Amino acid sequence: MDKPLKTPPPYPIASVDHALRAATMLQLEGGATVSQIAERLGVARSTAHRLLAMLVYRDFAVQDENRVYRAGPVLELAAH
C-alpha cells in the first residue's frame, strides 16, 4: 500500500528540517562526510559542519578518526 503524501507544516523551519534529515542519513546509511551531507541537503559546507557539530553535541552523531560522521548514542538507542 502506498503512503499518502505528507503536507508540510505551514511554517517550516529549514534548519530543523536539515538537522533531522542529516540525522536520518547517518542512521540509515551508516555515515557521511561534511561534503556529502552538504551536497545531499543542498547547503554550504559550513552550514553542514554547524549542523553536524550540533548533532555531535547532543549525541545524535559521532565523528570517527577519518572525519566521517556516524550515528551517535541517541540514534543507536532509537535503532534498538
Side-chain angles (χ1 to χ4, degrees), residues 23 26 54-62 70-75:
L26 298 179
M54 198 66 204
L55 292 177
V56 168
Y57 176 69
R58 293 295 181 191
D59 292 328
F60 283 82
V62 294
R70 301 191 183 286
V74 172
L75 294 178

Side-chain angles (χ1 to χ4, degrees), residues 34-47:
V34 171
S35 296
Q36 290 168 329
I37 294 290
E39 184 178 332
R40 295 273 304 275
L41 295 177
V43 298
R45 284 176 37 109
S46 59
T47 300

